[in-house]
Every structure is written in C-alpha cells, then in structure tokens.
Amino acid sequence: MSERLRHDLRQARQESGMSWEQFSQATSFTPAYLRNVENGNRSVTVDVAAAYDRALGTGGRFARELADGGPVPSAVPWGQDGATLTVLTDLVDGRRGRVDRRGFVKAGSALTVSAGNWATALLTRPSAPAENAQSAGGTALLANMAGRLELLRRMDDELGSKEVRKQAFGELSLAVTLLKAGRYRGGAANRLLRLAGEAARQVAWCTFDQGHHPGDAQRYFDASLRASAEAGDTTGGIYTISFAAVQLYSTGQADRAVALLETARSQLGPHSTPRMEAMLAARTARALSKTGAKAATGRQLHLAHAMLDKGPHDDEPEFLYWVTTSEVEMIAGSSALDLGDPAEALRRFEAGMRAHPSVDEEFPRSHAIYLARVAEAHLVLNDLDAAVASAWQAAACLGSVDSARSSSQLKGLRDKLAPHAAYRPVADFLQAAAG
C-alpha cells in the first residue's frame, strides 16, 4: 500500500507540471523532504498526504488513500485463551505476522470492530477475583507502574507526545514481561492487565499525535481494549474508546466517531460519573459538529455542562482531571467554528480561557490548538490584527511542545494567513514561523 501511495503522489506531482520549488511553496515542505517521502526514506504522514491534496487540488484523495491502507486489527480472535497477551507481545516485539491481511479497511472500521468486540467481551466476562500478589514487593511494583503512567499523562499535556510515547512503550513492555512471567495471580493479574491497557492507550494516543499512520495507532487502541475487557476494566475501555474517537473525527470519520462514543456510553451503567458523562458528551459534540449537526451538537454540549454542574464526586477516575468547564467551552468554540459561526466560537473560546487562566501553562499543546482556532475565527471575521496576535500566542505556546498534531494546526493557520501576506504584521509572522 505504501509503495502504491508513493507512486500515486509522485505521478500526480509530475503531472501537475510544477517545479520542485513551486511544489515546495504550495505544500510548505522542502524539496529534499518531499523527495525522501516519495523515495521511501520518510513516512507518508497525514500532514504530507493533506499537503499533496491541497497543492494538487485532489479533493482529499491522498488522505483517504492513506487512511485506507493501514493494517486491520490483529487476526487473533477475541476470547481465545491467551489472545490478549499474544497481541500485546506482538506489539512489543514489533511483529506484524499475526496482523489480519485478508484485506485493508479504514482505521475507523477497524476501531468499530474492536469496540464491538470489547462490549461483547465485557458481557461474557466473569466477575474479577480479589486482588492479591505473591509478595508485597510485587504489589509495590504495580503501584509504581500506576504512578509512572499517571505522570506520563501529565507529561503528555505539558511536553507533547514524542518522549512520552517512548516511556509509555517501555511501561507496556514491562507489563508484557511480567504477564509472560506469570508472577501475578487473581486480582493482581487483573491490575497488571489494566496497567497494560493504559500503557497501550497512551502509546496509541501518542502515535496519533505524532502524525503516524492511523492504522498504527489503531493497533494499540485495539490492544488496549482487549486488555481492559479481559481485566473487566470497563472504565479504562471507555476512556480508550474516547481517544480513539478523537482520532476518527480528526481524520474525516466523524460518523464513525459518534458511533464509537455511543458504544462506550452503552457500557457506562454503574460506572457512570458526572465527569465521565461530560467527557463523552463533549467529544460526541465535537464529532457531531464535523457532520454539520448543529442542534445535536448543542444538546451534547448542554449535557456536558449539566454533568459538570453536579460538582466533584469522590468516585471520579483520576485520569479525568482535564474534564473541566474550561475544556468543554474550548470544545464548544471549536465546534462553533466548524459549524460556521466564528463569532460564537470566539465567545466560547474566551469563556474557556476565563474559566482556566493558567491553561497555557498546564495544557500548552491543547491551548496552542485552541489559539490557532481563535486566530482562524478572527480571520473569518476579517480581523487580521487579532488573528495575528492569536497566531503569535499559539506559536509561543507550542515552542516547548513536541506534537505533530499541534504543529499541523499551526501550519494550517499559516496557510490561511498566506493570502494576506501583503499586510506587514501577517508577513512578519509568516517569516518568523517559517524560520
């Protein structure tokens, strides 16, 4: 698939008649970088495919071709003895021998299959045994792993995903080693599986955030769901699905994202908490906004706020610390922008920033994305000065963060500002950003 895609990219560029210099300007990538992509020395990322589509006017053809070519879920059947450990081991060892090669499907379809299998597995799983370990030292090791994974979640917010992915993969590798050793039994083994599922989720999210092929992230999402189902960790599985949904609605598969979130919501039951409900509602709203469903988007945003208005609950999962009124307002702003209401988007973004004055320090990656969208809203309203001011803020926020997703958002903003380069403040920003 990758060779076919590279061939199609090269052929379309050549047929365009553009020189390398012209094509480089149209895509905002250097000629050397693009030559390496076409020659197979660099990956065809989501950003590269989108750049070719934009420069060549192909209507998203290459982005769709990239999404269609990813690996489908592991061929190891759900429910088979040792299936989860087999899938996790293949990921850690870098093997793809048991990847289902009967055909290629979109990552969205693969994730839908994984989520459906997860929900079915939860229905048939017996009650989890009580936790125990062979030694106090073993229990302490699991507690330390849990603490490190919690720290990585926070590091991802502040530093971006490149380094976090390496560390999360290390935690996943350690979990697999311990599972294969059979050191833990009963509830302790379940806890280890839950930790493996969280580590796989973190690797999946970081893989997506770094701009890798959607199918690569999907394999880790699938493994995370398998681990959570075998451990009876419904809450962990719901959380994994919510991040998989972000991948889908960010790559043009919003309808599948809505369906995925409905699957997660169907399993809440006794695991429901206000923040969990708010998180699912907010992400459903974001997906719906990309389908143009304005009324449905508004209902989900209202539900998210209503859930948060219930106040803090002692049984809220720790990993939902980021689900706040500020975050919901930021999501509402992004949704309004996609729905063609830039004035409402600005009102929502401003409300979100007022609700969390230190958001730029605690969540610089997300804040950079939102600031880029603030700039886009100002640009739609023909306020170039405000657009440039927000663009500078976004660039500053992203300065210490390694995130291809955030960089892509800023790059998209630069492309939208480029037609206004005759205006000196815009030109100054574009020149600085290019450097």
Side-chain angles (χ1 to χ4, degrees), residues 375-405:
E376 289 182 27
H378 283 303
L379 191 57
V380 174
L381 294 171
N382 296 313
D383 189 342
L384 285 179
D385 288 327
V388 171
S390 294
W392 279 113
Q393 288 180 294
C397 228
L398 197 57
S400 61
V401 176
D402 193 324
S403 167
R405 188 168 59 102

mmCIF file of all heavy atoms in Angstrom, residues 375-405:
data_model
loop_
_atom_site.group_PDB
_atom_site.id
_atom_site.type_symbol
_atom_site.label_atom_id
_atom_site.label_comp_id
_atom_site.label_asym_id
_atom_site.label_seq_id
_atom_site.Cartn_x
_atom_site.Cartn_y
_atom_site.Cartn_z
ATOM 1 N N ALA A 375 -7.470 32.259 16.162
ATOM 2 C CA ALA A 375 -6.942 33.058 15.055
ATOM 3 C C ALA A 375 -7.761 32.834 13.784
ATOM 4 O O ALA A 375 -8.052 33.782 13.045
ATOM 5 C CB ALA A 375 -5.473 32.708 14.812
ATOM 6 N N GLU A 376 -8.142 31.595 13.532
ATOM 7 C CA GLU A 376 -8.952 31.295 12.350
ATOM 8 C C GLU A 376 -10.297 32.007 12.423
ATOM 9 O O GLU A 376 -10.797 32.529 11.411
ATOM 10 C CB GLU A 376 -9.163 29.790 12.221
ATOM 11 C CG GLU A 376 -7.916 29.023 11.813
ATOM 12 C CD GLU A 376 -8.192 27.543 11.642
ATOM 13 O OE1 GLU A 376 -9.352 27.194 11.334
ATOM 14 O OE2 GLU A 376 -7.264 26.739 11.826
ATOM 15 N N ALA A 377 -10.897 32.031 13.613
ATOM 16 C CA ALA A 377 -12.187 32.700 13.772
ATOM 17 C C ALA A 377 -12.045 34.201 13.491
ATOM 18 O O ALA A 377 -12.878 34.807 12.803
ATOM 19 C CB ALA A 377 -12.736 32.469 15.177
ATOM 20 N N HIS A 378 -10.981 34.813 14.011
ATOM 21 C CA HIS A 378 -10.737 36.234 13.735
ATOM 22 C C HIS A 378 -10.522 36.459 12.236
ATOM 23 O O HIS A 378 -10.973 37.470 11.681
ATOM 24 C CB HIS A 378 -9.511 36.722 14.505
ATOM 25 C CG HIS A 378 -9.762 36.972 15.952
ATOM 26 N ND1 HIS A 378 -10.733 37.842 16.409
ATOM 27 C CD2 HIS A 378 -9.141 36.482 17.076
ATOM 28 C CE1 HIS A 378 -10.724 37.876 17.722
ATOM 29 N NE2 HIS A 378 -9.768 37.063 18.160
ATOM 30 N N LEU A 379 -9.841 35.517 11.608
ATOM 31 C CA LEU A 379 -9.556 35.651 10.184
ATOM 32 C C LEU A 379 -10.851 35.607 9.370
ATOM 33 O O LEU A 379 -11.028 36.390 8.429
ATOM 34 C CB LEU A 379 -8.610 34.532 9.741
ATOM 35 C CG LEU A 379 -7.978 34.638 8.355
ATOM 36 C CD1 LEU A 379 -7.207 35.941 8.213
ATOM 37 C CD2 LEU A 379 -7.060 33.445 8.118
ATOM 38 N N VAL A 380 -11.751 34.702 9.740
ATOM 39 C CA VAL A 380 -13.048 34.626 9.056
ATOM 40 C C VAL A 380 -13.805 35.938 9.202
ATOM 41 O O VAL A 380 -14.519 36.383 8.287
ATOM 42 C CB VAL A 380 -13.889 33.461 9.608
ATOM 43 C CG1 VAL A 380 -15.294 33.471 9.008
ATOM 44 C CG2 VAL A 380 -13.210 32.121 9.312
ATOM 45 N N LEU A 381 -13.641 36.591 10.351
ATOM 46 C CA LEU A 381 -14.316 37.866 10.605
ATOM 47 C C LEU A 381 -13.513 39.062 10.088
ATOM 48 O O LEU A 381 -13.840 40.214 10.382
ATOM 49 C CB LEU A 381 -14.567 38.019 12.106
ATOM 50 C CG LEU A 381 -15.557 37.005 12.706
ATOM 51 C CD1 LEU A 381 -15.567 37.096 14.231
ATOM 52 C CD2 LEU A 381 -16.962 37.230 12.153
ATOM 53 N N ASN A 382 -12.439 38.771 9.330
ATOM 54 C CA ASN A 382 -11.613 39.803 8.692
ATOM 55 C C ASN A 382 -10.918 40.730 9.688
ATOM 56 O O ASN A 382 -10.653 41.900 9.385
ATOM 57 C CB ASN A 382 -12.456 40.644 7.720
ATOM 58 C CG ASN A 382 -12.981 39.824 6.557
ATOM 59 O OD1 ASN A 382 -12.241 39.076 5.932
ATOM 60 N ND2 ASN A 382 -14.275 39.947 6.280
ATOM 61 N N ASP A 383 -10.600 40.212 10.861
ATOM 62 C CA ASP A 383 -9.834 40.980 11.843
ATOM 63 C C ASP A 383 -8.397 40.449 11.831
ATOM 64 O O ASP A 383 -8.019 39.588 12.631
ATOM 65 C CB ASP A 383 -10.458 40.832 13.232
ATOM 66 C CG ASP A 383 -9.845 41.777 14.258
ATOM 67 O OD1 ASP A 383 -8.741 42.293 13.996
ATOM 68 O OD2 ASP A 383 -10.460 41.982 15.318
ATOM 69 N N LEU A 384 -7.603 40.979 10.909
ATOM 70 C CA LEU A 384 -6.244 40.459 10.721
ATOM 71 C C LEU A 384 -5.359 40.700 11.928
ATOM 72 O O LEU A 384 -4.538 39.835 12.285
ATOM 73 C CB LEU A 384 -5.610 41.094 9.488
ATOM 74 C CG LEU A 384 -6.088 40.583 8.122
ATOM 75 C CD1 LEU A 384 -5.393 41.337 7.010
ATOM 76 C CD2 LEU A 384 -5.830 39.086 7.992
ATOM 77 N N ASP A 385 -5.498 41.839 12.573
ATOM 78 C CA ASP A 385 -4.646 42.125 13.732
ATOM 79 C C ASP A 385 -4.894 41.124 14.854
ATOM 80 O O ASP A 385 -3.947 40.617 15.465
ATOM 81 C CB ASP A 385 -4.902 43.554 14.223
ATOM 82 C CG ASP A 385 -4.329 44.608 13.283
ATOM 83 O OD1 ASP A 385 -3.280 44.331 12.667
ATOM 84 O OD2 ASP A 385 -4.936 45.677 13.165
ATOM 85 N N ALA A 386 -6.162 40.862 15.134
ATOM 86 C CA ALA A 386 -6.482 39.893 16.187
ATOM 87 C C ALA A 386 -6.039 38.499 15.788
ATOM 88 O O ALA A 386 -5.575 37.716 16.627
ATOM 89 C CB ALA A 386 -7.982 39.914 16.480
ATOM 90 N N ALA A 387 -6.169 38.179 14.505
ATOM 91 C CA ALA A 387 -5.749 36.857 14.037
ATOM 92 C C ALA A 387 -4.251 36.667 14.226
ATOM 93 O O ALA A 387 -3.789 35.619 14.710
ATOM 94 C CB ALA A 387 -6.126 36.674 12.572
ATOM 95 N N VAL A 388 -3.474 37.682 13.871
ATOM 96 C CA VAL A 388 -2.021 37.586 14.008
ATOM 97 C C VAL A 388 -1.617 37.522 15.482
ATOM 98 O O VAL A 388 -0.721 36.754 15.861
ATOM 99 C CB VAL A 388 -1.336 38.774 13.308
ATOM 100 C CG1 VAL A 388 0.152 38.810 13.630
ATOM 101 C CG2 VAL A 388 -1.536 38.682 11.807
ATOM 102 N N ALA A 389 -2.290 38.300 16.315
ATOM 103 C CA ALA A 389 -1.970 38.277 17.750
ATOM 104 C C ALA A 389 -2.181 36.887 18.324
ATOM 105 O O ALA A 389 -1.349 36.373 19.087
ATOM 106 C CB ALA A 389 -2.828 39.303 18.489
ATOM 107 N N SER A 390 -3.282 36.242 17.972
ATOM 108 C CA SER A 390 -3.548 34.884 18.465
ATOM 109 C C SER A 390 -2.570 33.884 17.860
ATOM 110 O O SER A 390 -2.176 32.914 18.513
ATOM 111 C CB SER A 390 -4.986 34.479 18.130
ATOM 112 O OG SER A 390 -5.914 35.267 18.843
ATOM 113 N N ALA A 391 -2.181 34.115 16.609
ATOM 114 C CA ALA A 391 -1.218 33.223 15.967
ATOM 115 C C ALA A 391 0.125 33.262 16.686
ATOM 116 O O ALA A 391 0.770 32.222 16.904
ATOM 117 C CB ALA A 391 -1.043 33.610 14.499
ATOM 118 N N TRP A 392 0.576 34.468 17.068
ATOM 119 C CA TRP A 392 1.825 34.578 17.832
ATOM 120 C C TRP A 392 1.709 33.828 19.159
ATOM 121 O O TRP A 392 2.651 33.149 19.581
ATOM 122 C CB TRP A 392 2.149 36.043 18.096
ATOM 123 C CG TRP A 392 2.801 36.765 16.961
ATOM 124 C CD1 TRP A 392 2.273 37.772 16.213
ATOM 125 C CD2 TRP A 392 4.119 36.533 16.439
ATOM 126 N NE1 TRP A 392 3.163 38.192 15.256
ATOM 127 C CE2 TRP A 392 4.313 37.457 15.372
ATOM 128 C CE3 TRP A 392 5.141 35.658 16.766
ATOM 129 C CZ2 TRP A 392 5.495 37.505 14.640
ATOM 130 C CZ3 TRP A 392 6.330 35.713 16.031
ATOM 131 C CH2 TRP A 392 6.492 36.621 14.998
ATOM 132 N N GLN A 393 0.570 33.955 19.835
ATOM 133 C CA GLN A 393 0.365 33.256 21.109
ATOM 134 C C GLN A 393 0.411 31.744 20.913
ATOM 135 O O GLN A 393 0.998 31.019 21.720
ATOM 136 C CB GLN A 393 -0.986 33.653 21.715
ATOM 137 C CG GLN A 393 -1.038 35.060 22.262
ATOM 138 C CD GLN A 393 -2.411 35.363 22.845
ATOM 139 O OE1 GLN A 393 -3.413 35.416 22.144
ATOM 140 N NE2 GLN A 393 -2.453 35.540 24.152
ATOM 141 N N ALA A 394 -0.218 31.268 19.851
ATOM 142 C CA ALA A 394 -0.219 29.826 19.575
ATOM 143 C C ALA A 394 1.194 29.320 19.334
ATOM 144 O O ALA A 394 1.599 28.263 19.842
ATOM 145 C CB ALA A 394 -1.110 29.531 18.370
ATOM 146 N N ALA A 395 1.961 30.064 18.555
ATOM 147 C CA ALA A 395 3.335 29.659 18.262
ATOM 148 C C ALA A 395 4.179 29.633 19.528
ATOM 149 O O ALA A 395 5.001 28.723 19.729
ATOM 150 C CB ALA A 395 3.941 30.611 17.233
ATOM 151 N N ALA A 396 3.983 30.620 20.403
ATOM 152 C CA ALA A 396 4.736 30.658 21.659
ATOM 153 C C ALA A 396 4.361 29.488 22.544
ATOM 154 O O ALA A 396 5.216 28.887 23.202
ATOM 155 C CB ALA A 396 4.459 31.980 22.381
ATOM 156 N N CYS A 397 3.088 29.148 22.564
ATOM 157 C CA CYS A 397 2.613 28.035 23.400
ATOM 158 C C CYS A 397 3.209 26.717 22.927
ATOM 159 O O CYS A 397 3.491 25.821 23.712
ATOM 160 C CB CYS A 397 1.086 27.971 23.307
ATOM 161 S SG CYS A 397 0.276 27.838 24.901
ATOM 162 N N LEU A 398 3.394 26.608 21.614
ATOM 163 C CA LEU A 398 3.864 25.353 21.035
ATOM 164 C C LEU A 398 5.376 25.228 21.084
ATOM 165 O O LEU A 398 5.923 24.168 20.792
ATOM 166 C CB LEU A 398 3.381 25.271 19.579
ATOM 167 C CG LEU A 398 3.408 23.913 18.890
ATOM 168 C CD1 LEU A 398 2.598 22.894 19.674
ATOM 169 C CD2 LEU A 398 2.871 24.035 17.476
ATOM 170 N N GLY A 399 6.062 26.294 21.496
ATOM 171 C CA GLY A 399 7.513 26.304 21.433
ATOM 172 C C GLY A 399 8.197 25.183 22.183
ATOM 173 O O GLY A 399 9.229 24.677 21.745
ATOM 174 N N SER A 400 7.620 24.757 23.312
ATOM 175 C CA SER A 400 8.269 23.721 24.130
ATOM 176 C C SER A 400 7.550 22.383 24.046
ATOM 177 O O SER A 400 7.809 21.487 24.846
ATOM 178 C CB SER A 400 8.297 24.180 25.600
ATOM 179 O OG SER A 400 6.976 24.379 26.085
ATOM 180 N N VAL A 401 6.649 22.240 23.064
ATOM 181 C CA VAL A 401 5.824 21.034 22.973
ATOM 182 C C VAL A 401 6.124 20.296 21.677
ATOM 183 O O VAL A 401 6.216 20.911 20.613
ATOM 184 C CB VAL A 401 4.315 21.392 23.022
ATOM 185 C CG1 VAL A 401 3.461 20.146 22.840
ATOM 186 C CG2 VAL A 401 3.985 22.071 24.347
ATOM 187 N N ASP A 402 6.293 18.979 21.775
ATOM 188 C CA ASP A 402 6.548 18.157 20.594
ATOM 189 C C ASP A 402 5.262 17.433 20.216
ATOM 190 O O ASP A 402 4.917 16.412 20.797
ATOM 191 C CB ASP A 402 7.658 17.136 20.879
ATOM 192 C CG ASP A 402 8.163 16.481 19.608
ATOM 193 O OD1 ASP A 402 7.352 16.248 18.705
ATOM 194 O OD2 ASP A 402 9.372 16.214 19.526
ATOM 195 N N SER A 403 4.533 17.992 19.267
ATOM 196 C CA SER A 403 3.250 17.424 18.857
ATOM 197 C C SER A 403 3.022 17.724 17.387
ATOM 198 O O SER A 403 2.819 18.872 17.006
ATOM 199 C CB SER A 403 2.105 18.015 19.695
ATOM 200 O OG SER A 403 0.848 17.718 19.125
ATOM 201 N N ALA A 404 3.029 16.680 16.557
ATOM 202 C CA ALA A 404 2.790 16.872 15.134
ATOM 203 C C ALA A 404 1.374 17.378 14.890
ATOM 204 O O ALA A 404 1.132 18.167 13.975
ATOM 205 C CB ALA A 404 3.014 15.560 14.386
ATOM 206 N N ARG A 405 0.434 16.945 15.725
ATOM 207 C CA ARG A 405 -0.957 17.376 15.565
ATOM 208 C C ARG A 405 -1.078 18.883 15.779
ATOM 209 O O ARG A 405 -1.740 19.584 15.013
ATOM 210 C CB ARG A 405 -1.843 16.621 16.563
ATOM 211 C CG ARG A 405 -3.337 16.827 16.373
ATOM 212 C CD ARG A 405 -4.092 15.826 17.204
ATOM 213 N NE ARG A 405 -3.778 15.950 18.615
ATOM 214 C CZ ARG A 405 -4.570 16.553 19.506
ATOM 215 N NH1 ARG A 405 -5.708 17.068 19.133
ATOM 216 N NH2 ARG A 405 -4.222 16.608 20.777
#
